[in-house]
Amino acid sequence: MTLAIAWLRQDLRLADNPLLQFETPPRQLLCVYVLDPVWLEPLPGLEVPRIGPARLAFLWQSLIALRGELLRRGSDLLVRVGDPVEVVADLAERHGACQVRVRRDAGSDEAGAVVALAGRLGERVELLQLEGGLLFDEAALPMAVEALPPSFSAFRRRVEGRVPIPAASAAPVTLPHWPDEAPRGLPPLRDICDEAARWRPDERGAFRFAGGEAEGLARLDHYLWDTGAVGRYKETRNGLRGADFSTRLSPWLAQGCLSARQVHDAVRAWQAEHGAGESSDWVIFELLWRDYFHWAARQEGRGLFGARSLPAPGTAFRAWAAARTGVPFIDAAMRELSATGWLSNRARQNVASFLVKDLGVDWRLGAAWFEHCLVDFDVASNWGNWRYVAGVGRDTRERWFHVLRQAEQYDARGDYVAHWQPALAELPEGQARHQPWRVEPERFPLPLVVPARWQDRLLPLHETAEPDE
């Protein structure tokens, strides 16, 4: 084999990357990443692109870091902006590629692009789709993807402790050299999106994500070995503030700077030295969830996104997205999301439930907004989780988060809401900060909605306030 092309997508790492592992290495290897300009176009009705500045900045950091690692091994990286199928097909033709290697991804757009590329390449160029990034390969699953159980619990029973999880493979020491005539390098981010080039997360977020494989491994080491926080994960995972209540590994997993097997191996190594426990096991449990969402997305195909195009966003959605619902627990979370590109799992569940169940907004608008905002957007996990909260698709059970109860339980003093909405810090700690319209109605207007089922948690109106009519 003379020349192979590694078409990188959500697999921006060297270790445990099947695209860079060869039984018989080619003489030349061209690694390419293609940013589809569709991602930069406004979503219909939302007036924001699919990829927001936080994720685009993280992506570019990851690509720059990957190029550095490839150069150290005798290779390089080409980054283009354009139609991925056209770019890869053109590179294959111009440089006489014998093989194009690409990871089998879950998204229907990604799968469709591979089908389209196969049609462009013809029989002369082998198109090789490889598994990677997950705990399990498809061939190891005890069921066909088409027969995937409708619930995660059933999936977990079939695989946990029954299907071996392979160890992550090491990074290659050297790679086939770069084709002499091939272009290389990547354009400056400011030429693509000035907002992303200038993106800096709000310092109140208490953590700053930096893209790249080395940064992901450093975070993994910090969470396991430097702090031992993995041993407390089950107790802290519902936290709202701070750097280490959560693993915060999701952005590196989403872009493929880390693989699930690398995380699994590291947790098992930590357990071998410190002992297994509920907390460290819970990290692996969530990796299983991530796998399940991936296989479910592959099974659902286009159906993952709902049957119709996005509806036009109304007043309720716009208030939710702009953190102007009047409900501090919701607005604090939405401010954090826009200011940092990240949100805790507890906050994500609450804002999703509030949008769908209390405001009555189509769940797909929320999923699309998260796709724009999140630094750790992953198509399968994001859209799968929104469907789960909305009770549509695979699991139609009713789920509703009582926002006031959740606020009392997870932000009892109101520190989180006051952190993101400083005016609330002037109110007494506790419920008053979560229901300021009941305490000082002259300063804090009524929320967009006050559901009847909140009555069990509503504070009595402040004695100086006007009585209800």
Side-chain angles (χ1 to χ4, degrees):
M1 182 167 56
T2 303
L3 187 148
I5 293 176
W7 176 16
L8 299 161
R9 300 196 288 186
Q10 282 75 48
D11 38 21
L12 305 183
R13 66 185 181 280
L14 294 186
D16 201 38
N17 189 343
L19 300 191
L20 304 178
Q21 298 166 356
F22 304 92
E23 290 185 9
T24 303
R27 288 193 304 182
Q28 297 176 317
L29 176 66
L30 195 161
C31 302
V32 61
Y33 181 93
V34 188
L35 177 66
D36 194 330
V38 170
W39 293 2
L40 304 171
E41 296 173 0
L43 287 163
L46 292 187
E47 302 168 1
V48 295
R50 287 173 60 179
I51 183 168
R55 180 157 50 103
L56 188 53
F58 184 89
L59 168 62
W60 232 247
Q61 292 167 358
S62 301
L63 291 168
I64 291 169
L66 178 61
R67 187 185 185 203
E69 293 299 324
L70 288 169
L71 285 167
R72 276 189 274 275
R73 288 160 174 80
S75 185
D76 206 336
L77 176 66
L78 171 65
V79 177
R80 286 280 179 84
V81 179
D83 182 307
V85 173
E86 296 297 325
V87 170
V88 175
D90 180 67
L91 288 170
E93 181 178 353
R94 284 177 181 270
H95 301 288
C98 297
Q99 184 185 80
V100 173
R101 305 163 70 86
V102 64
R103 190 182 87 151
R104 191 187 299 273
D105 285 331
S108 58
D109 288 350
E110 290 79 359
V114 173
V115 172
L117 179 61
R120 285 290 308 275
L121 294 177
E123 296 182 1
R124 184 182 61 83
V125 182
E126 178 188 19
L127 180 57
L128 184 62
Q129 291 193 74
L130 298 164
E131 304 285 350
L134 302 172
L135 295 176
F136 306 112
D137 290 338
E138 183 176 353
L141 294 177
M143 78 291 289
V145 172
E146 294 75 18
L148 190 75
S151 72
F152 168 70
S153 297
F155 172 78
R156 183 186 179 191
R157 287 193 295 270
R158 297 283 300 276
V159 300
E160 191 173 40
R162 300 181 177 214
V163 181
I165 298 173
S169 57
V173 177
T174 61
L175 287 166
H177 73 81
W178 192 260
D180 292 334
E181 303 301 320
R184 57 176 74 194
L186 66 168
L189 181 54
R190 63 177 179 274
D191 292 348
I192 297 168
C193 178
D194 187 58
E195 185 182 3
R198 292 183 287 105
W199 166 258
R200 298 294 183 275
D202 193 306
E203 292 181 357
R204 290 176 294 174
F207 189 85
R208 184 169 180 173
F209 295 102
E213 185 174 5
E215 291 285 352
L217 291 170
R219 173 59 188 177
L220 184 58
D221 281 348
H222 170 85
Y223 192 76
L224 272 63
W225 301 103
D226 296 345
T227 66
V230 67
R232 304 181 293 275
Y233 177 66
K234 194 169 188 293
E235 292 74 43
T236 65
R237 66 189 181 90
N238 284 309
L240 299 169
R241 291 179 58 196
D244 294 333
F245 69 83
S246 167
T247 70
R248 293 189 184 254
L249 295 172
S250 53
W252 291 284
L253 285 165
Q255 290 296 348
C257 302
L258 289 177
S259 74
R261 289 176 186 171
Q262 287 176 289
V263 178
H264 176 264
D265 288 354
V267 173
R268 291 302 191 204
W270 186 89
Q271 290 179 329
E273 184 168 325
H274 298 277
E278 274 193 309
S279 285
S280 52
D281 280 344
W282 202 269
V283 175
I284 295 171
F285 166 81
E286 292 193 349
L287 290 174
L288 284 173
W289 253 114
R290 181 176 177 271
D291 258 48
Y292 178 71
F293 276 131
H294 176 95
W295 300 116
R298 198 184 291 187
Q299 183 193 64
E300 297 281 351
R302 203 52 215 164
L304 178 69
F305 308 99
R308 307 180 305 280
S309 59
L310 288 175
T315 302
F317 170 80
R318 295 191 183 281
W320 175 83
R324 293 199 302 266
T325 69
V327 181
F329 199 51
I330 300 302
D331 292 345
M334 297 306 291
R335 288 189 184 196
E336 181 183 10
L337 176 62
S338 64
T340 69
W342 192 82
L343 205 54
S344 69
N345 179 64
R346 179 56 49 183
R348 293 185 200 205
Q349 291 177 315
N350 273 275
V351 298
S353 173
F354 184 80
L355 180 72
V356 176
K357 301 300 176 68
D358 293 325
L359 294 182
V361 174
D362 191 306
W363 66 273
R364 294 170 302 155
L365 285 171
W369 185 255
F370 268 33
E371 180 171 350
H372 165 74
C373 292
L374 286 173
V375 70
D376 64 354
F377 170 77
D378 169 273
V379 62
S381 296
N382 180 69
W383 287 82
N385 268 304
W386 272 92
R387 282 160 55 98
Y388 182 79
V389 171
V392 299
R394 309 179 65 80
D395 191 339
T396 58
R397 286 176 292 178
E398 173 67 18
R399 292 178 180 86
W400 176 70
F401 286 73
H402 191 310
V403 171
L404 298 186
R405 286 184 189 171
Q406 291 275 307
E408 291 174 24
Q409 183 173 355
Y410 297 106
D411 186 30
R413 302 197 321 172
D415 291 338
Y416 174 69
V417 296
H419 184 69
W420 290 101
Q421 299 163 98
L424 295 173
E426 302 170 18
L427 300 179
E429 294 178 355
Q431 286 181 297
R433 293 182 177 179
H434 293 295
Q435 302 175 44
W437 71 93
R438 305 285 290 183
V439 179
E440 293 192 23
E442 66 282 358
R443 288 183 59 200
F444 300 97
L446 244 121
L448 211 59
V449 299
V450 181
R453 46 191 173 178
W454 281 6
Q455 292 301 319
D456 67 322
R457 283 297 187 276
L458 285 179
L459 287 171
L461 281 171
H462 192 281
E463 59 185 12
T464 62
E466 293 295 328
D468 289 331
E469 296 182 354

